[in-house]
Amino acid sequence: MEPPVRLASTGTITHGVSVGEVLGVSTLADARLIAGESGLGRIVQRLNVMEVPDILAWVKPHELLLTTGYPLRNTPQSLGRLVADLDERKLAALAIKLGRYVDKLPDEMVEQADRLGFPLILLPNDVGFDDILNQVLTDILNRQAAVLARAEEAHRALVQVVLAGGGLDEVTAEVAALLDVAVAAVDGGGRVLATAGPPDHVTLLWESIAHEGPPLVPASGRTPSGGPASGTAGRTRAFASVPVLAGGHHHGRIVAYSPAGTLRDSDVGILERAATVAALVVTRQEAVNAVESKYRADFLRDVLTGRAGTAERVTARARAFGWDLERPVTVLVAELDPDGDERATQDRLVACWVAAMRRHDPQGAVAGFSHEVVAVLDATVDAARVAKDAASAFADVPPATFSTGTSRPSPGADLLPEAYSQALKAARVGRQLHGPGAVAHFDQLGVYRLLSLVNDTEELHAFVRETLGPLALDNDAENSDLRRTLQVLLETNLNVAETARRLHFHYNTLRYRIGKLERLLGNFTDDPHLRLNLTLALHVLRMRGI
């Protein structure tokens, strides 16, 4: 049986044997347990000899303290408090020789030892302390060497998995074989990435993870609250979970389950090594994914700008990426709204769209650009549903939002640049009209669709200045107020009463404003062509920045 271990806060592993095992060594064959039987599972990691009255200043946790009682021969009343003081300092046990300096242990001391589960051992008089020290320490060191050798063997096996190009599947399989348990690799979002072990045990492990999973067992062997972690001092457990950390980021955890509850702290040490190897696998895969994503994005950008070459070349390269661009497709553009363009947000946006596309169209193309994600999906797929799924997954990244534009169906790859332009305009016009998080289709933009097709934006701005005159400028609050009045008048088809109600104006105040507007713009109340021009100019202003 492998010895219990404790994971030290320094990261080194300190091994020990239980008090019960210490009583089994040959030099203590005639030793007798006086009290504290419930504490036989306490771990002995070192030994000490009590030769001075102030021994409490020199003891350490998990020590077996040997004494003849000589320091207490003149103050036997001190024995009554000794057990409580030693237990408070987390010693493993007290072994004493009687008859030479102390004839009998006080009843109070024995009762207190039983109550605290602190073993009191009566040593045979014919055994020297040096023999006990040599034999027990040798046993501890041999056990420690065996456990360290096992951990090193496990580490070599796990590193070999990585060197052979293995992934999380191979890592979990190796750990399951080493520990004879069910093992799972879980990402930061709680999604199980790989499992290994007996199917029935894996199923139970899945269920545990689905219900928030077992608590992490930190390397210090203590819980986050500061108390002892489950399984310290040699106790076993059914579950163990250690974090996978790399580059200062939390990438998930490695979880193990033993239905017999035989996971020991030494097994947790192997899980920690597996987590280190898993971190190497994760970072390696992230580097590969980053390169692949760049190639995918560069190729898709070339396709959407008409620089990817012939249709045959585009089809062949797309097929290599698992994309089908020969069928009729729709282009979607998801563009981060202002103040939401940080790199981490962009990475999350790409991940959400990749997941949504995987569910709805596995052969669809998707790639992230600087501040947007472009998706090319089967024209028969409900684009609005895909956008909704991506937005739902992205909702856990407040306050960032994105606007989505959808193109008309495109019959082939050669027309994708036009479809991309339509989707991009739909996203930007939709945001201007409906605010952040808008979802717009190019065919539903109405007059804005026509205006967005005018490539000469300077001509549009000149039209606005000529039509609205001073009202085209935002440097005067009165001009902005008058422009708002004009807009509502045109929206209500010059219904003065309705306009006054919407703007909360008195009727006579509105009549005065209409007169001022006509002096600035012309007699628009009697000229339908002028009203059309004014309406278009206001629409162009709403599209400012597109």
Side-chain angles (χ1 to χ4, degrees), residues 13 33 54 90 124 229 275 290 304 319 380 419 471 523:
I13 304 178
L33 183 68
D54 61 342
K90 302 186 184 304
L304 297 176
R319 192 178 297 116
T380 62
L471 298 189
N523 189 19

Side-chain angles (χ1 to χ4, degrees), residues 413-431:
D414 54 333
L415 295 179
L416 282 177
E418 180 182 350
Y420 171 61
S421 177
Q422 293 172 358
L424 189 59
K425 288 175 180 176
R428 294 180 178 177
V429 173
R431 180 191 296 114

Side-chain angles (χ1 to χ4, degrees), residues 325-348:
L325 300 184
E326 295 180 278
R327 57 189 175 168
V329 293
T330 301
V331 176
L332 283 82
V333 171
E335 190 176 50
L336 282 170
D337 295 320
D339 302 325
D341 58 350
E342 294 183 3
R343 187 66 210 170
T345 304
Q346 173 68 8
D347 292 342
R348 179 63 177 160

Side-chain angles (χ1 to χ4, degrees), residues 169-294:
D169 287 329
E170 289 74 17
V171 171
T172 53
E174 187 68 31
V175 176
L178 286 168
L179 302 182
D180 192 24
V181 294
V183 180
V186 186
D187 68 11
R191 185 166 60 98
V192 177
L193 303 178
T195 59
D200 292 346
H201 300 170
V202 169
T203 300
L204 292 173
L205 184 56
W206 271 87
E207 294 174 355
S208 171
I209 294 170
H211 292 85
E212 299 183 358
L216 289 176
V217 178
S220 65
R222 303 188 72 80
T223 63
S225 63
S230 174
T232 58
R235 299 175 191 170
T236 57
R237 72 204 79 167
F239 288 98
S241 177
V242 296
V244 177
L245 303 173
H249 299 288
H250 186 281
H251 294 280
R253 52 202 171 112
I254 299 291
V255 186
Y257 167 62
S258 169
T262 56
L263 281 169
R264 294 156 292 188
D265 287 346
S266 58
D267 298 330
V268 174
I270 291 177
L271 286 178
E272 288 174 336
R273 300 204 178 201
T276 301
V277 173
L280 293 176
V281 172
V282 169
T283 51
R284 182 189 65 189
Q285 190 58 48
E286 285 183 344
V288 172
N289 291 342
V291 174
E292 289 184 351
S293 296
K294 183 180 184 304

Side-chain angles (χ1 to χ4, degrees), residues 441-456:
H441 192 287
F442 185 72
D443 282 342
Q444 298 171 348
L445 298 180
V447 69
Y448 297 102
R449 185 181 77 204
L450 299 177
L451 293 173
S452 69
L453 294 175
V454 178
N455 293 324
D456 190 351

Side-chain angles (χ1 to χ4, degrees), residues 20-45:
E21 290 175 307
V22 168
L23 289 174
V25 301
S26 59
T27 54
L28 296 178
D30 295 327
R32 181 166 60 88
L33 183 68
I34 301 174
E37 183 177 2
S38 62
L40 288 178
R42 292 187 181 219
I43 299 304
V44 178
Q45 294 171 348

Side-chain angles (χ1 to χ4, degrees), residues 27-28 47 49 66 68 97 123-136:
T27 54
L28 296 178
L47 287 85
V49 177
L66 308 176
T68 60
K97 288 185 177 182
L123 295 174
N125 288 321
D126 59 347
V127 177
F129 284 173
D130 57 338
D131 293 331
I132 298 174
L133 290 169
N134 288 334
Q135 191 168 21
V136 175

